[in-house]
Amino acid sequence: KGGGLYGDREKERAQRDQEKKVAAATKKRQEEEKKRQAEVLAAEELKARRKRWEDICVERMVKHQHVQSYEEWDAEEQVREAAEAEAKKAAEKAKKEKEKKEKEAARRAKEAAEPEVVDDEELDASLVRGYKTTSDGRRTSYFNNELDEKSKALIGDITPQKIGA
């Protein structure tokens, strides 16, 4: 079988096309399975809902009350469920809002608290590497040179002097 100059490329392209077809078929099967499962779940839910309506009808018959049709009962039940869902949603929103306000208040209280005073002895030396504290308590670069009285006396007067002729 000759296949031509680009036979290997044509085989690769055919293989990729085949893999795409298999992937598409698999995806389609999965979507159909999900759809079927959703239909089964909906049918079971409807069956459970009808069973609940029948139980309520039996209770009403025992109490000699008016029995509603399934459509009437279902409409009222949907309204009731929607109201419950709305109330639950509002309660959840209020809870989140309350938590948000509490966090904000805690953050503000923390900011308003006085800053913590740390003595130099308590500081970890590795955290303040490259800095030193001057005699007046300022923290400066390690290379900032502050002369003591003995050093000043040794150096003497360093003011510029007029050269006498």
Side-chain angles (χ1 to χ4, degrees):
K1 199 172 179 182
L5 186 59
Y6 297 105
D8 56 341
R9 297 220 183 230
E10 291 173 2
K11 285 181 185 178
E12 288 176 4
R13 185 173 15 147
Q15 186 177 6
R16 280 194 307 268
D17 291 344
Q18 182 65 26
E19 289 172 357
K20 287 180 182 178
K21 288 178 183 177
V22 169
T26 303
K27 185 176 180 181
K28 185 177 180 181
R29 266 195 313 271
Q30 289 174 347
E31 289 174 357
E32 289 173 355
E33 180 66 22
K34 284 182 181 179
K35 185 178 179 181
R36 189 185 61 75
Q37 287 177 351
E39 289 172 355
V40 168
L41 188 63
E44 289 175 358
E45 188 176 312
L46 181 63
K47 191 175 183 180
R49 196 170 182 88
R50 283 206 178 261
K51 174 75 171 123
R52 199 170 47 208
W53 170 72
E54 289 173 359
D55 292 343
I56 291 173
C57 286
V58 169
E59 288 176 13
R60 287 179 164 245
M61 284 182 199
V62 168
K63 295 178 183 177
H64 302 293
Q65 294 177 347
H66 171 69
V67 178
Q68 291 179 314
S69 69
Y70 176 75
E71 290 77 20
E72 292 172 348
W73 175 83
D74 191 43
E76 286 181 8
E77 194 71 11
Q78 286 178 353
V79 169
R80 187 186 59 77
E81 288 173 355
E84 285 179 1
E86 189 67 31
K88 185 176 180 181
K89 193 176 185 181
E92 186 70 26
K93 186 176 180 179
K95 182 180 176 185
K96 285 183 180 180
E97 191 68 29
K98 181 180 176 186
E99 288 175 357
K100 185 178 178 182
K101 286 181 181 178
E102 288 174 354
K103 284 182 181 180
E104 182 67 21
R107 184 185 64 81
R108 286 185 181 162
K110 187 176 180 181
E111 287 177 356
E114 291 185 30
E116 184 179 337
V117 177
V118 180
D119 292 334
D120 287 343
E121 293 81 33
E122 294 178 12
L123 288 176
D124 185 12
S126 65
L127 294 177
V128 292
R129 187 180 319 158
Y131 295 95
K132 66 180 180 179
T133 307
T134 61
S135 60
D136 61 350
R138 292 180 299 130
R139 182 157 306 207
T140 64
S141 164
Y142 180 79
F143 300 102
N144 189 20
N145 192 13
E146 186 176 296
L147 299 175
D148 59 347
E149 294 302 319
K150 185 178 179 184
S151 299
K152 286 180 183 177
L154 241 168
I155 294 174
D157 187 18
I158 58 169
T159 58
Q161 302 289 326
K162 186 175 183 181
I163 300 176

